[in-house]
Amino acid sequence: MLMKFQYMVLESWGTWSGLFEPLPYGDPYIATIVLFALTAAAAKLIVGQETA
C-alpha cells in the first residue's frame, strides 16, 4: 500500500512539474512555488477569508 501511494505521489509530481518544463528554471522551482501559492489560496478560501 505504501509503495502504491509513493508511486502515485511521484507520478503526480512528475506530471505537475512537467507543466512548467518549458520555462527557464521551471522544473521544479516554479512548480514548487505555484503549488505553495495554490495551497495557500485554497486554505484561505476554505477558512473564508479574502484571498488578497
Side-chain angles (χ1 to χ4, degrees), residues 25-45:
Y25 303 106
D27 182 30
Y29 302 113
I30 294 175
T32 303
I33 293 168
V34 171
L35 186 62
F36 178 74
L38 287 175
T39 303
K44 287 183 109 179
L45 286 173

Side-chain angles (χ1 to χ4, degrees), residues 3-22:
M3 293 299 289
K4 286 184 181 180
F5 179 73
Q6 183 181 10
Y7 181 72
M8 182 184 70
V9 169
L10 288 174
E11 188 175 308
S12 298
W13 178 252
T15 302
W16 174 254
S17 62
L19 294 173
F20 300 94
E21 198 169 344

